[in-house]
Amino acid sequence: MKRLPDTELEVMKALWATGPDTPRATLEDRLSPFGWAANTINTYLSRLAEKGFVAVRRVGKSNLYTPLVAREEYLSFDSRAVLDRLYGSPRNFVAALAREGFAQGELEELRALLEQLSGGRG
């Protein structure tokens, strides 16, 4: 899997929100705040299909689009990629956050999460 450019990620967000077999008109409507031309959206959809993120199914004269990568799967991948690229490790990331200080309760939330993730071992 590769990280998506912000524009293609916005198209994926629209697809994740609408679900399988989304008509192009629905996508254009959801993406209208970006002011993209129909050809631009088509280009993004074509790229996403080439990358294996989107399936395209022709029905009559229309295309229906289905996300092939789950939102949670991509977000997990992307989070790890950002963490690795910017910080190298979770430890370095938390250390960088700690330098700025934690708001009241945030450290306890982190401890609880770590305990939950480790299955109560600790």
Side-chain angles (χ1 to χ4, degrees):
M1 189 178 308
K2 289 185 176 182
R3 290 194 72 220
L4 295 173
D6 289 346
T7 52
E8 292 173 23
L9 181 56
E10 291 301 330
V11 175
M12 285 303 298
K13 287 178 183 178
L15 273 172
W16 288 323
T18 57
D21 291 333
T22 300
R24 173 133 170 217
T26 301
L27 283 174
E28 288 178 9
D29 185 53
R30 290 190 73 93
L31 295 168
S32 64
F34 295 99
W36 296 331
N39 285 342
T40 301
I41 294 171
N42 190 51
T43 298
Y44 296 149
L45 288 166
S46 295
R47 288 179 188 165
L48 288 165
E50 288 170 11
K51 293 175 183 179
F53 279 81
V54 174
V56 183
R57 186 166 63 93
R58 188 93 173 157
V59 176
K61 293 184 178 185
S62 302
N63 285 337
L64 300 178
Y65 299 91
T66 299
L68 295 176
V69 175
R71 181 180 186 275
E72 295 75 20
E73 179 185 356
Y74 182 76
L75 293 178
S76 177
F77 161 80
D78 191 46
S79 297
R80 187 63 199 210
V82 168
L83 182 111
D84 289 345
R85 190 176 78 246
L86 295 178
Y87 298 97
S89 73
R91 183 189 185 289
N92 292 342
F93 174 68
V94 172
L97 287 176
R99 282 197 252 352
E100 295 297 317
F102 287 100
Q104 187 173 1
E106 286 180 331
L107 198 53
E108 283 307 313
E109 288 177 12
L110 281 174
R111 282 189 183 119
L113 176 61
L114 288 172
E115 184 154 329
Q116 177 186 357
L117 292 173
S118 67
R121 301 181 312 260

